[in-house]
Amino acid sequence: MNIVVCIKQIVDPEAPDRTFAIDPVTSRQDRNRLSLVASPFDLNACEVALRLRDGLGGQLTALTIGPPEATQVLRQALGLGFGAGVLLNDPSFHDADPFKTAYVLSRAIRKLGPIDLILTGCESGDMAGAAVGPLIAEELAIGCITYASRISAARNGLEIHRTLSHGYELLHASPPLVVTVISDHANGPRLPKLRDLLASAKQPIPVWTALDIGIDVERFAVPPMKVKECTVVVTTRERACAWIVGETVQEQARDLVRRLRDRHILGSETRPS
Amino acid sequence: MPTYKAPLRDMRFVLHELLNVGEVASLPGYADATPETIDAVLEEAAKLTENELAPLNRSGDEEGCHFDNGVVRTPKGFREAYTTFIEGGWMGLACDPDHGGQGLPKVVNFVVEEMICSANLSLGTYPGLSQGAYNAINLHGTEELKALYCPKIASGLWSGTMCLTEPHSGTDLGLIRTKAEPGGDGAWRITGNKIFISAGEHDLTENIVHLVLARLPGAPEGTRGISLFLVPKFLAKEDGTVGPRNGAHCARLEHKMGIKASATCEMRFDGAAGWLIGKANKGMSAMFTMMNTARLAVGIQGLGLAEAAYQGARDYANDRLQGRALGGAKFPEKPADPIIVHPDVRRMLLTMRAYNEAARALAYWVGMKIDVAQKHPDATARQEADDFVALMTPIVKSFYTDYGFEAANLGVQIWGGHGYIRENGMEQFVRDARIAQLYEGANGIQALDLVGRKLGQGTGRLLRQFFHPVSAFIEETGADPRMGEFTFPLAKAFAKLQQATAWVAQAGMRDPVEAGAAASDYLKLFALVAFAFMWARMARLALDKTAGEDGEFYKAKLATARFFMTRLLPQHTSVFQAMMAGAAPIMELKAASF
């Protein structure tokens, strides 16, 4: 089975709040001073891909769009056991909206040859648009299943475990297919083996430009983008502590419920016992 | 409870900016150790230690190890974490690729060791002991023993121990009674009791390889009659699988103040089959291969725990709201200011931080010198690097564990009464740190090693490896007005160290009691100067970078350097004066009057 995982490099979501800054000139997030990491859901997608490969065999390829330092996330995938990684880098790829991103990725996927499965995180860890996966499927004119947590081999195709708010559903689907992946206890990213990590450092990573993947310049340029980011602001969040009062645990529980209801966190039908 | 995050930014600063670690890639066998590869390895090591080892630190301390009829069980989760550790190949990080290791430089191992010690010192003792045993077998074992045991230890499937101490023989190993007799089958039969054996028995590995000091029949008295033997828990078959049980058993488990999840065992050897490592009666030399590895590793334990304590104290000081800043409220909208506004809290935090960052810089420098000592094509360069490592080993072991304990105590102090409560995790650092001042040669012994062995070796040859770079640095930077606040105090303290060195050499030659009385103060003086040298070097780098994109990091370096030079380095004058008072005030009181 040939699987491609699309990974986005983002500013570390675990970085302290105080390090978050907006560039006053571009009005965009200032990435210069921050550590960059692979988007967490994309790492879940990597784990789903690795488990499928471990069971069925096949080839795993990681794709990312970004500057040269984005090869870091590709090396991370290689260290986990991916066979190849490709960096998509071209000045025309900068500041892409989800439509443009999906178009660029789909062109690169076509260049890779016949692919059975394309995986990516259900959304990116920074913009949380949740659009790129389905849009890749649209570009490639194949099916898409979103918010999956596990994938296993099934008769005549794949069985996809999709988590719902009150349970899960199992879907059977035939490749080729795009699947977006959520975080789940069953797909937590594995730790790399030191040996693979060292081998990955020596593996060449090809860089593909717009020309290499046959970008339709006309389509790329006009209209410029369907989604426009107008402004980014840093919000402040106030925290306050309140004492829950009451002589007994029951009284304290009643006080807590009252406070939660006053703030409309609990519905009025919730009655303290 | 404190949450550990590996200080990767500072580690990278030391490795890449201060020490230019990329140079090790030019040493034979280290071509793969490029800065990018080292960074990738450290990032993964950070994830491993933060996510797999650190969460078990507190529970491991609460539960401790279990002993039942000779069988030792480690706390819940330790087996799984250890398996993750060895499956990732981390045990073999610095082991020979011929044995399945990754062959990475020792300096990288030092960094990973620091992370392990911060995250979970108890768990770290198991692979730590294995590393020492691996080194001793690899350097002194026969080809057959190396082929059979080294790959197993490098994989982590088998672990190692050092069996030195006996009930009546600790510091003075010349007194050991464990005996080795010919077995008639090429092996020796080892009989005796050993105590305080870390990782002597446990459930993490399928076999345990004990390296045991014992006496051959008719061996000379004292340390000249000691030999080193490899004694496996299970005899190894030729194909590397585990064979029948050997006569090496755990008689009891010690109940300790700290590192409770590290199994400290009394071991009984009942005619156990053993194989000689190195030459007969030359066991001390082979043993010191383990001991030197272990002493530096123990020094790093001090640093690791001090870093963990610092992180816990720093986070608490930023969160805990009590009282108002003395100069007026800093956060009037809050019911109180965070305690980090208070000068005394900052003094304690900066003390921890200033020691940690200097210790990290010096330790990694020593790590790089080990790589040079082992791999450099030029014999003189190898010898010089080896001299530097030998000189610094007692200082790293002793001073790092002394200040590590102090830092752990300061961590509790910053947490106030909450630091004394077990579930908050800070008091564990104090209990865990205490052992590091004792094992692998108590810190007083380290001071004697420095004064008695290292100073005089090769008529000061070892000293030159530190004194020359410090002199050169002072000369280079002495005229730079920006460096004055760093170079001047360094030069002043260095002059005192030179004076103290001459005094110790002369007085010690006259009367060894004088050297013994001066030793601990002298070691502290030496360590303070070594830390001042590291801070001056770091400050020199930082001065040019405060305006750059990571300016805050370099400003923090400079501020911490200033704190060290003005608030910690002045201790050198008091230890100098104490030392120069000589042995008389210590020796005057009759033993019976104590």
Side-chain angles (χ1 to χ4, degrees), chain B residues 248-324:
Chain B
H249 296 277
C250 176
R252 63 188 284 264
L253 202 57
E254 301 291 352
H255 299 281
K256 310 188 296 294
M257 175 181 177
I259 58 164
K260 291 175 184 248
S262 169
T264 305
C265 305
E266 180 180 330
M267 296 300 299
R268 203 179 60 235
F269 297 94
D270 298 322
W275 287 265
L276 193 61
I277 298 282
K279 292 179 182 161
N281 298 329
K282 300 286 181 195
M284 289 299 280
S285 155
M287 186 208 71
F288 264 103
T289 302
M290 283 192 289
M291 285 293 274
N292 285 332
T293 306
R295 285 177 173 177
L296 289 168
V298 169
I300 290 174
Q301 292 177 4
L303 163 62
L305 286 169
E307 173 64 31
Y310 169 72
Q311 292 189 14
R314 175 202 60 199
D315 294 346
Y316 187 77
N318 276 300
D319 282 347
R320 175 74 169 165
L321 305 180
Q322 288 291 290
R324 288 295 181 190

Side-chain angles (χ1 to χ4, degrees), chain A residues 191, chain B residues 48 52-53 55-57 59-60 63-66 71-88 120 122-124 126-127 155-159 201-208 233-234 261-263:
Chain A
L191 291 166
Chain B
L48 175 81
E52 306 292 327
L53 307 190
L56 296 172
N57 192 39
S59 58
E63 186 185 338
C65 289
H66 307 272
V71 176
V72 174
R73 201 159 39 79
T74 52
K76 195 174 167 214
F78 270 49
R79 272 174 69 95
E80 292 77 7
Y82 180 79
T83 302
T84 304
F85 180 82
I86 64 168
E87 282 182 350
N120 193 327
S122 285
L123 186 46
Y126 298 93
S155 71
L157 290 172
W158 295 3
S159 59
E201 176 62 38
H202 55 80
D203 58 355
L204 300 181
T205 57
E206 61 183 34
N207 202 1
I208 302 172
K233 173 181 171 184
F234 291 100
S262 169

Side-chain angles (χ1 to χ4, degrees), chain B residues 36-310:
Chain B
E36 295 75 25
T37 303
I38 289 174
D39 277 355
V41 168
L42 296 185
E43 269 177 36
E44 293 307 326
K47 285 181 205 157
L48 175 81
T49 50
E50 291 165 7
N51 303 329
E52 306 292 327
L53 307 190
L56 296 172
N57 192 39
R58 180 87 202 93
S59 58
D61 179 67
E62 280 295 323
E63 186 185 338
C65 289
H66 307 272
F67 181 70
D68 183 19
N69 199 23
V71 176
V72 174
R73 201 159 39 79
T74 52
K76 195 174 167 214
F78 270 49
R79 272 174 69 95
E80 292 77 7
Y82 180 79
T83 302
T84 304
F85 180 82
I86 64 168
E87 282 182 350
W90 294 95
M91 182 61 231
L93 187 142
C95 295
D96 195 323
D98 290 345
H99 301 140
Q102 309 307 324
L104 281 170
K106 301 293 177 290
V107 62
V108 179
N109 205 33
F110 270 34
V111 186
V112 176
E113 275 181 17
E114 185 202 316
M115 293 186 202
I116 294 170
C117 294
S118 290
N120 193 327
L121 177 56
S122 285
L123 186 46
T125 57
Y126 298 93
L129 265 298
S130 297
Q131 187 71 53
Y134 172 88
N135 291 348
I137 299 169
N138 194 26
L139 273 176
H140 302 285
T142 62
E143 290 304 319
E144 290 76 18
L145 289 177
K146 278 198 268 190
L148 195 52
Y149 288 94
C150 284
K152 288 289 185 182
I153 299 176
S155 71
L157 290 172
W158 295 3
S159 59
T161 74
M162 300 195 310
C163 298
L164 279 49
T165 306
E166 297 179 9
H168 56 281
S169 167
T171 298
D172 188 354
L173 287 170
L175 299 174
I176 67 164
R177 293 177 190 151
T178 297
K179 59 184 181 182
E181 292 168 316
D185 53 358
W188 297 82
R189 293 287 174 269
I190 313 297
T191 303
N193 285 324
K194 296 283 178 180
I195 60 167
F196 301 164
I197 307 308
S198 299
E201 176 62 38
H202 55 80
D203 58 355
L204 300 181
T205 57
E206 61 183 34
N207 202 1
I208 302 172
V209 183
H210 304 286
L211 294 192
V212 184
L213 285 184
R215 288 188 177 284
L216 293 170
E221 290 289 308
T223 54
R224 291 183 181 178
I226 295 177
S227 304
L228 185 66
F229 296 88
L230 184 158
V231 184
K233 173 181 171 184
F234 291 100
L235 298 173
K237 293 183 187 169
E238 275 182 19
D239 63 358
T241 56
V242 166
R245 188 77 159 84
N246 199 6
H249 296 277
C250 176
R252 63 188 284 264
L253 202 57
E254 301 291 352
H255 299 281
K256 310 188 296 294
M257 175 181 177
I259 58 164
K260 291 175 184 248
S262 169
T264 305
C265 305
E266 180 180 330
M267 296 300 299
R268 203 179 60 235
F269 297 94
D270 298 322
W275 287 265
L276 193 61
I277 298 282
K279 292 179 182 161
N281 298 329
K282 300 286 181 195
M284 289 299 280
S285 155
M287 186 208 71
F288 264 103
T289 302
M290 283 192 289
M291 285 293 274
N292 285 332
T293 306
R295 285 177 173 177
L296 289 168
V298 169
I300 290 174
Q301 292 177 4
L303 163 62
L305 286 169
E307 173 64 31
Y310 169 72

Side-chain angles (χ1 to χ4, degrees), chain A residues 36-264:
Chain A
L36 302 170
V37 298
S39 183
F41 292 123
D42 295 344
L43 291 177
N44 296 119
C46 287
E47 182 60 28
V48 168
L50 285 160
R51 286 179 185 224
L52 264 178
R53 194 275 314 270
D54 292 347
L56 301 175
Q59 170 75 20
L60 301 185
T61 305
L63 273 186
T64 194
I65 305 174
E69 56 264 31
T71 51
Q72 185 194 338
V73 299
L74 299 175
R75 294 223 179 271
Q76 189 175 353
L78 295 174
L80 290 168
F82 276 54
V86 180
L87 174 69
L88 307 174
N89 175 258
D90 192 282
S92 64
F93 301 164
H94 291 173
D95 297 331
D97 68 3
F99 292 90
K100 193 166 157 182
T101 301
Y103 175 57
V104 172
L105 289 168
S106 68
R107 294 303 307 171
I109 291 165
R110 282 184 195 280
K111 183 176 162 77
L112 285 169
I115 298 296
D116 300 302
L117 191 59
I118 297 140
L119 299 177
T120 191
C122 60
E123 61 184 42
S124 63
D126 52 0
M127 302 311 288
V132 169
L135 289 170
I136 294 172
E138 192 70 16
E139 288 287 347
L140 296 172
I142 59 176
C144 177
I145 294 173
T146 54
Y147 302 104
S149 54
R150 277 167 267 174
I151 304 176
S152 52
R155 207 165 45 153
N156 300 328
L158 298 168
E159 182 177 271
I160 290 124
H161 187 288
R162 194 166 185 262
T163 303
L164 305 172
S165 55
H166 297 293
Y168 65 89
E169 61 185 15
L170 293 176
L171 304 173
H172 283 242
S174 301
L177 195 66
V178 173
V179 178
T180 74
V181 176
I182 62 163
S183 165
D184 179 85
H185 66 88
N187 66 20
R190 65 187 61 185
L191 291 166
K193 296 197 186 322
L194 201 46
R195 187 184 306 277
D196 294 335
L197 201 65
L198 295 175
S200 77
K202 287 188 274 191
Q203 197 166 333
I205 291 182
V207 181
W208 291 352
T209 63
L211 195 64
D212 294 325
I213 55 176
I215 290 289
D216 178 350
V217 180
E218 293 286 316
R219 181 185 154 181
F220 218 47
V222 185
M225 274 199 271
K226 294 179 183 174
V227 177
K228 189 174 178 209
E229 195 176 289
C230 299
T231 185
V232 182
V233 293
V234 179
T235 58
T236 54
R237 191 183 298 170
E238 291 297 327
R239 287 189 302 177
C241 290
W243 287 104
I244 304 301
V245 294
E247 290 293 319
T248 64
V249 174
Q250 284 78 8
E251 282 176 21
Q252 290 168 4
R254 266 193 290 277
D255 184 49
L256 174 63
V257 170
R258 183 183 57 74
R259 286 163 188 266
L260 293 174
R261 210 185 301 146
D262 288 350
R263 288 161 191 261
H264 305 291

